[in-house]
Amino acid sequence: NAGVTQTPKFQVLKTGQSMTLQCAQDMNHEYMSWYRQDPGMGLRLIHYSVGAGITDQGEVPNGYNVSRSTTEDFPLRLLSAAPSQTSVYFCASRQGRAWYQETQYFGPGTRLLVL
Amino acid sequence: GESVGLHLPTLSVQEGDNSIINCAYSNSASDYFIWYKQESGKGPQFIIDIRSNMDKRQGQRVTVLLNKTVKHLSLQIAATQPGDSAVYFCAENAGNMLTFGGGTRLMVKP
């Protein structure tokens, strides 16, 4: 049971390039989400999914796309990278939507630098 | 909760002392609260949670207190150890969205 895994660990992009950050979980969790963390700050929600085929926007969704074709995977796509997207990206999952399934578990993060 | 910018509040304690980390939350509709610990270069790690129908919950060496009247949450760590050094975040959950506070850096002096 690997928990939540993310790839790559580190990425450098040029402005305007696109890329996909991968996230997978092997806990059969329904709910997955993406956060970004800027230096010295808390995490902000980008997008989330409450199940396969269902996604929704979080606090800071602009410039990012997501899809959820399987329960296990929740990739985050940067359409045209900008320096403002330099950040550490965390994927998280939780078992479900019920109150007793609310604890979120985080992956190790992807550090993204946009030049 | 809004971020506190580039400079996190820092709490410095002596090893063996008790630590209290405070958090103000913003949404009166939040019904679930979590404390996370984040070590350098790692993702947030769950510590303890509490639901809005409780005002206190205890774990191993940690206690969370919730005051809904003033929208305040605190994390108490007993007998603080060097391994407790990290940034601590509170998070509030309302519906499907988890909102994080700005974080507090805990430094433990040996």
Side-chain angles (χ1 to χ4, degrees):
Chain A
N1 190 327
V4 181
T5 58
Q6 293 182 237
T7 56
K9 290 184 179 179
F10 183 71
Q11 182 73 45
V12 180
L13 292 178
K14 294 180 179 178
T15 296
Q17 285 185 313
S18 62
M19 81 158 293
T20 299
L21 280 63
Q22 302 292 343
C23 173
Q25 52 87 14
D26 61 358
M27 299 175 281
N28 200 32
H29 284 179
E30 281 189 61
Y31 188 111
M32 297 183 74
S33 51
W34 276 102
Y35 295 83
R36 60 176 287 173
Q37 185 177 33
D38 299 319
M41 295 174 68
L43 285 75
R44 291 183 293 169
L45 181 64
I46 304 172
H47 285 285
Y48 65 97
S49 167
V50 299
I54 307 169
T55 63
D56 209 342
Q57 294 182 347
E59 183 184 354
V60 288
N62 292 340
Y64 307 95
N65 273 357
V66 291
S67 59
R68 185 91 181 274
S69 55
T70 67
T71 299
E72 294 79 19
D73 301 296
F74 190 43
L76 177 73
R77 280 180 286 278
L78 279 70
L79 309 172
S80 178
S84 62
Q85 293 179 304
T86 293
S87 190
V88 181
Y89 291 84
F90 290 102
C91 180
S93 75
R94 80 187 220 198
Q95 188 175 0
R97 282 167 270 183
W99 64 268
Y100 53 87
Q101 300 172 321
E102 282 178 296
T103 304
Q104 291 207 40
Y105 298 92
F106 286 81
T110 294
R111 293 181 178 274
L112 178 67
L113 175 62
V114 183
L115 302 174
Chain B
E2 290 297 317
S3 75
V4 295
L6 293 176
H7 301 288
L8 288 171
T10 298
L11 174 65
S12 185
V13 301
Q14 204 71 38
E15 181 180 357
D17 287 350
N18 296 335
S19 303
I20 300 176
I21 300 172
N22 296 304
C23 175
Y25 65 93
S26 55
N27 188 349
S28 56
S30 295
D31 57 4
Y32 178 64
F33 305 87
I34 311 171
W35 279 100
Y36 284 96
K37 172 186 181 183
Q38 188 176 26
E39 297 173 286
S40 181
K42 297 184 179 179
Q45 177 187 357
F46 172 86
I47 301 174
I48 192 168
D49 58 1
I50 189 168
R51 296 207 59 80
S52 59
N53 60 353
M54 303 170 70
D55 53 21
K56 180 179 180 179
R57 191 164 188 221
Q58 288 184 292
Q60 189 176 14
R61 279 202 311 120
V62 294
T63 301
V64 55
L65 299 177
L66 174 63
N67 185 331
K68 295 182 289 294
T69 302
V70 295
K71 291 191 282 189
H72 183 268
L73 199 65
S74 69
L75 176 69
Q76 300 177 1
I77 304 174
T80 312
Q81 301 169 0
D84 295 327
S85 293
V87 177
Y88 289 80
F89 292 98
C90 67
E92 57 181 303
N93 191 75
N96 288 321
M97 294 187 62
L98 193 66
T99 303
F100 282 77
T104 297
R105 186 180 305 280
L106 176 65
M107 297 178 62
V108 183
K109 296 177 287 186

